[in-house]
Amino acid sequence: MINQFRTSNPINLLLLFAYTFFMRIVILLDMPEQLSFEFLEPYAKFFLQIPLQSTFSPTTNVITAGLIIFIQAIIFNVIINNHGLLPKPSYLPALLYITGASLFMPFLVLSPTLICNFLLIWMMDKLLKLGKAQNVIMIMFDIGMIIAVGTLVYFPFIVMLLMLWLSLLLYRSFSWREWVSGLVGFITIFFFLGVFYYLNDNLGMFYKIWLPLANKFPATFKINYNDYLVLVPVSVMMVLAMIQLRESFFRSFISTRKGFQMLFFMFICAIVSFYTKPNFRLYHFLLCVPPGAVLLAYYFANASNRWFYESLFLILVFAIQYFLFV
């Protein structure tokens, strides 16, 4: 599997398509009687009515989610290869993206985070351009608007605002215009939202949008560890990837080093943003898949012991399937 996807052979597109639905075989064989899909946050539904909740049957829901994951994986693969984060172009980013997006049952169906991953991948592409662009004010403005749109779909996406300034710290010397432009882009979207609420005499609801930001970060967590055993092989691979990255870190291009640092911050932001959603669900962590998949792809692109890395990937696939079935 790994050696096959280390190449840029177009046949890999067909293999990826088959692999996408192979990783969803458990839910295709035992289809739930009902699946709900909340596309927008309540405050966005007030002015934008998209009746998707009852539009999809369970089968259509699962198949559509699979197609979206496949399309995202291809776009993600192109972006990672274009920015040269791996030693050579390959289909490993797409393979690892699809694998990561199959870890848990809630990842296999339509969810707001699945839609937000389109925006996250787009945002990732723009952030990776910061080190090469002469003038980044418009790029930052666009990223701010992307984050605002993602917040309309799924409120915890707002934490990605931190990426505006963390990325600027990595890539650019200080310029107050660049630091403000992203925030202006974000405010632009919500300014028009606030005007709509005001014109409809509902400004009080607009203020309530921001209340989750005042939530305290939870001090205790209720975790059923059996549900997360599938993360053991993933964690092992992440550790190996970080060791691999550390060994070649200072031999890499500066843009590559900064790119991985930026993706690490994005991974952390995706994890900690769950606290803004009081009744968050497991599908929230689908936001961690794009930055995490890059790190795993880096390991498999550089690993040299074939029997080990092929076996490790096979163990991961079997572990995912086993824990999905049980």
Side-chain angles (χ1 to χ4, degrees), residues 119-135:
L119 301 172
L120 192 64
I121 292 169
W122 187 14
M123 176 179 160
M124 184 184 297
D125 180 39
K126 287 186 172 292
L127 288 174
L128 288 169
K129 293 176 181 176
L130 292 181
K132 306 170 187 176
Q134 295 295 324
N135 189 342

Side-chain angles (χ1 to χ4, degrees), residues 38-308:
E38 292 290 338
F39 176 61
L40 296 169
E41 290 287 358
Y43 52 80
K45 291 179 182 177
F46 181 70
F47 71 96
L48 187 62
Q49 296 292 331
I50 303 179
L52 292 180
Q53 185 171 1
S54 57
T55 302
F56 296 103
S57 66
T59 302
T60 305
N61 185 310
V62 173
I63 292 175
T64 303
L67 291 174
I68 289 175
I69 287 294
F70 175 72
I71 294 169
Q72 288 177 346
I74 300 305
I75 298 171
F76 175 73
N77 196 83
V78 171
I79 289 171
I80 299 305
N81 287 333
N82 285 346
H83 288 286
L85 292 180
L86 303 183
K88 65 177 183 178
S90 70
Y91 280 94
L92 284 176
L95 176 69
L96 274 303
Y97 182 88
I98 292 170
T99 304
S102 307
L103 280 172
F104 302 105
M105 192 69 75
F107 288 11
L108 307 183
V109 298
L110 290 174
S111 64
T113 49
L114 181 60
I115 305 302
C116 280
N117 268 1
F118 274 117
L119 301 172
L120 192 64
I121 292 169
W122 187 14
M123 176 179 160
M124 184 184 297
D125 180 39
K126 287 186 172 292
L127 288 174
L128 288 169
K129 293 176 181 176
L130 292 181
K132 306 170 187 176
Q134 295 295 324
N135 189 342
V136 303
I137 290 177
M138 288 307 300
I139 294 177
M140 298 305 293
F141 183 84
D142 291 344
I143 295 173
M145 295 187 74
I146 291 170
I147 296 171
V149 172
T151 305
L152 294 179
V153 177
Y154 185 62
F155 184 78
F157 201 76
I158 194 174
V159 177
M160 288 298 163
L161 276 174
L162 294 174
M163 290 304 304
L164 293 172
W165 304 300
L166 289 171
S167 299
L168 286 173
L169 284 172
L170 280 172
Y171 285 103
R172 312 283 295 186
S173 56
F174 179 77
S175 169
W176 71 268
R177 291 181 179 86
E178 293 174 357
W179 279 63
V180 170
S181 58
L183 189 60
V184 171
F186 180 86
I187 292 173
T188 299
I189 298 293
F190 277 91
F191 171 77
F192 288 110
L193 179 63
V195 170
F196 182 86
Y197 274 97
Y198 174 75
L199 294 176
N200 287 271
D201 296 324
N202 219 328
L203 201 57
M205 183 180 287
F206 180 74
Y207 295 138
K208 291 180 181 178
I209 293 174
W210 314 105
L211 293 180
L213 291 175
N215 290 344
K216 292 183 178 180
F217 198 84
T220 58
F221 300 93
K222 294 181 180 179
I223 299 175
N224 184 354
Y225 292 100
N226 292 332
D227 293 340
Y228 299 94
L229 288 176
V230 70
L231 293 179
V232 173
V234 177
S235 301
V236 171
M237 292 162 62
M238 293 288 277
V239 170
L240 291 173
M242 287 187 284
I243 294 173
Q244 179 74 50
L245 185 62
R246 187 189 65 177
E247 290 176 353
S248 57
F249 189 74
F250 292 105
R251 299 197 302 270
S252 305
F253 293 112
I254 294 176
S255 60
T256 303
R257 297 204 298 264
K258 290 184 176 180
F260 276 103
Q261 288 173 316
M262 183 274 291
L263 292 170
F264 171 76
F265 289 131
M266 183 177 286
F267 185 81
I268 298 300
C269 287
I271 291 177
V272 302
S273 60
F274 79 90
Y275 87 95
T276 61
K277 195 82 170 174
N279 56 341
F280 93 99
R281 299 182 183 180
L282 191 58
Y283 62 59
H284 168 86
F285 297 106
L286 195 57
L287 294 174
C288 300
V289 171
V294 182
L295 186 60
L296 294 180
Y298 184 86
Y299 167 70
F300 283 111
N302 289 279
S304 56
N305 196 330
R306 182 176 179 180
W307 74 266
F308 181 76

